[in-house]
Amino acid sequence: MQAVRRPRVGLVLGSGAARGWAHIGVLRVLKAAGVQPDLVCGTSIGALVGASYAAGQIQRLDDWVVSMGVKQVWRLMDFRLSGGVFKGERLMRYFSEELAPGPIENLGIPYGAVATAMATGTEVWLRSGPAVDAVRASIALPGMFTPVLHDGRWLVDGALVNPVPVSLARAMGADIVIAVDLNTDFARRQLVAKTQPSTPSMLEVITSSINVMQSRIARSRLAGEPPEVVITPRLGDIGLLDFHRGADAIAHGERAAQAVLPTLKELGLGSDA
């Protein structure tokens, strides 16, 4: 009698800049519940957290994020006047030296990141080569971080085309997809913004525009490519650049993940399923 194959579980970590630290809280809860993904993929900050997880370094990232204050955040930001507000080299240097993810092919579980070809708008799946290069391309938010030259083409943030890359997880062989969407609390963010009557700064204009874009695209893509489970942290009080609020974002992620544990159990996932 042929053995029944266990469904492959794919974890999809969406875009959202500083709100992406909520992914760490989700991973904490999944680990405690005995839910172990067979593959992980992500866009933007989701690509960074996903690479750390695939490399077995998520606890080191967790410790660093929780300890980070405003001064530490600004030390990582290297300003420039062309291509984007930040170069992103200091952040990637830390990521490479401290978390050392190495080549994607050598990570503990299959991993993929999403970027966008700037000239054509083509969705680009990065599944080989140095993980740090894939992450750097995936986080290149237009206007915020400079684009990345990869294989002869300039790449920018994958959130322009696929903020929550369920399609990539399916292509990588996932039967059950657990997706984390950081863009569902858009209405609350808009309500907070209305309490600030002063003229918005350049960064506020950029981040607000990115909020609109990610929310709309994520809603459309998830409707056409629905995952089995969607985790939706309430992150309306955390801005795209609030990287110093890691503990708050992680707590939001934990609460949202706790809410879907019954659904995961129904799907046969977890140590007590």
Side-chain angles (χ1 to χ4, degrees):
M1 184 176 179
Q2 187 175 6
V4 177
R5 182 178 69 87
R6 184 180 70 84
R8 285 170 57 82
V9 178
L11 179 64
V12 175
L13 304 180
S15 62
R19 297 193 291 271
W21 297 147
H23 291 315
I24 297 173
V26 171
L27 287 165
R28 284 182 183 179
V29 172
L30 294 182
K31 180 180 179 180
V35 178
Q36 186 171 352
D38 298 294
L39 59 94
V40 61
C41 57
T43 296
S44 198
I45 191 69
L48 188 152
V49 177
S52 301
Y53 177 77
Q57 297 289 351
I58 193 64
Q59 187 57 55
R60 290 189 67 182
L61 179 65
D62 189 330
D63 294 340
W64 176 64
V65 167
V66 171
S67 69
M68 188 162 45
V70 175
K71 289 183 179 179
Q72 289 87 344
V73 171
W74 285 109
R75 288 194 192 108
L76 290 171
M77 300 300 179
D78 35 13
F79 292 92
R80 61 173 298 151
L81 297 178
S82 62
V85 178
F86 309 113
K87 292 173 66 177
E89 291 180 358
R90 293 178 186 170
L91 175 62
M92 286 299 99
R93 189 181 307 121
Y94 174 88
F95 181 66
S96 178
E97 293 175 355
E98 298 298 323
L99 302 177
I104 291 175
E105 296 87 340
N106 294 347
L107 297 177
I109 62 173
Y111 166 81
V114 177
T116 304
M118 189 170 69
T120 64
T122 304
E123 183 174 337
V124 179
W125 292 350
L126 302 169
R127 296 188 55 193
S128 62
V132 66
D133 291 349
V135 170
R136 178 62 185 86
S138 190
I139 69 169
L141 272 171
M144 297 287 290
F145 289 97
T146 54
V148 173
L149 187 62
H150 178 82
D151 289 342
R153 56 183 174 177
W154 289 101
L155 301 183
V156 292
D157 198 301
L160 291 175
V161 290
N162 203 350
V164 190
V166 174
S167 55
L168 175 54
R170 299 289 190 201
M172 292 170 65
D175 301 301
I176 296 175
V177 173
I178 303 169
V180 186
D181 180 8
L182 306 178
N183 300 295
T184 59
D185 213 8
F186 180 71
R188 186 178 172 204
R189 287 197 293 276
Q190 294 302 97
L191 182 63
V192 171
K194 288 179 181 178
T195 66
Q196 302 170 355
S198 58
T199 303
S201 67
M202 180 181 70
L203 278 180
E204 287 171 337
V205 171
I206 292 173
T207 55
S208 293
S209 300
I210 291 169
N211 280 334
V212 174
M213 175 197 71
Q214 290 186 137
S215 178
R216 299 295 182 180
I217 296 174
R219 186 183 308 174
S220 176
R221 292 296 299 255
L222 288 173
E225 301 158 351
E228 280 66 35
V229 180
V230 184
I231 300 173
T232 56
R234 299 296 302 273
L235 299 160
D237 62 327
I238 296 179
L240 285 179
L241 297 180
D242 288 343
F243 289 100
H244 61 287
R245 296 188 58 195
D248 293 334
I250 289 171
H252 286 308
E254 287 180 312
R255 283 191 288 271
Q258 289 282 354
V260 304
L261 288 182
T263 302
L264 295 176
K265 188 174 181 179
E266 290 176 1
L267 291 169
L269 304 180
S271 55
D272 58 350

